[in-house]
Amino acid sequence: MVREVGPIPHGWEDLFQLAQACGQGFLPSYLPIVEARRAMAYGERERQFQLYRRGRYVEFNLVFDRGTIFGLQTKGRTESILMSLPPLVRWEYGYQPEANSWEALLYEEFLRPRDWHGDETLEARCRLHGALG
């Protein structure tokens, strides 16, 4: 699926200013999230889920990512192509998150296609699970 891209109505300076603004906004946005969540428990259950999600990322890259597929099909250097993949992953057939867990919230609320901007109930549903500060 190739889409034609029309003329870009902004010049180099405008685009550079946008990139700078995004970079300058990162820490003020990210640090409050880290501060609010740094005391949250993290144990073996969370680690296993992290490894499982990393496995899904590997699956996506090997099956759907055009850059990865192109590199492998054109006999590129396999080690270089796969270097972007996480070194530790886990696969599980038919994974189902534990009911009422953070993992279930991720699957039920965030991994489904939706109109994120237009969903006026999302914030309330996340608040019920304690997912907002």
Side-chain angles (χ1 to χ4, degrees):
M1 172 172 63
V2 176
R3 294 185 187 150
E4 292 296 321
V5 176
I8 299 174
H10 299 286
W12 165 253
E13 282 302 319
D14 291 336
L15 297 173
F16 184 61
Q17 286 177 358
L18 173 64
Q20 283 182 311
C22 290
Q24 291 166 351
F26 178 77
L27 279 179
S29 301
Y30 188 66
L31 285 179
I33 296 169
V34 172
E35 289 294 323
R37 300 195 181 280
R38 72 179 177 171
M40 290 179 74
Y42 182 85
E44 188 59 25
R45 190 182 108 226
E46 290 80 13
R47 177 66 173 152
Q48 291 304 309
F49 183 69
Q50 178 189 43
L51 294 174
Y52 170 73
R53 292 299 303 162
R54 286 179 174 182
R56 295 303 307 265
Y57 170 76
V58 169
E59 176 186 340
F60 169 83
N61 267 271
L62 295 175
V63 176
F64 297 108
D65 183 72
R66 288 188 283 175
T68 303
I69 294 169
F70 174 80
L72 293 172
Q73 289 177 342
T74 57
K75 302 196 186 325
R77 189 165 176 255
T78 305
E79 294 87 354
S80 298
I81 296 164
L82 300 180
M83 284 301 294
S84 68
L85 300 178
L88 298 173
V89 300
R90 181 175 83 82
W91 282 273
E92 181 175 328
Y93 183 79
Y95 174 80
Q96 291 294 316
E98 182 181 320
N100 299 315
S101 66
W102 286 101
E103 295 82 7
L105 177 66
L106 174 70
Y107 275 74
E108 294 162 9
E109 297 295 344
F110 299 108
L111 296 183
R112 295 176 189 227
R114 70 172 71 239
D115 175 9
W116 293 100
H117 181 69
D119 187 348
E120 297 177 10
T121 65
L122 180 62
E123 184 176 335
R125 292 195 314 275
C126 290
R127 224 174 265 294
L128 284 174
H129 293 280
L132 297 174

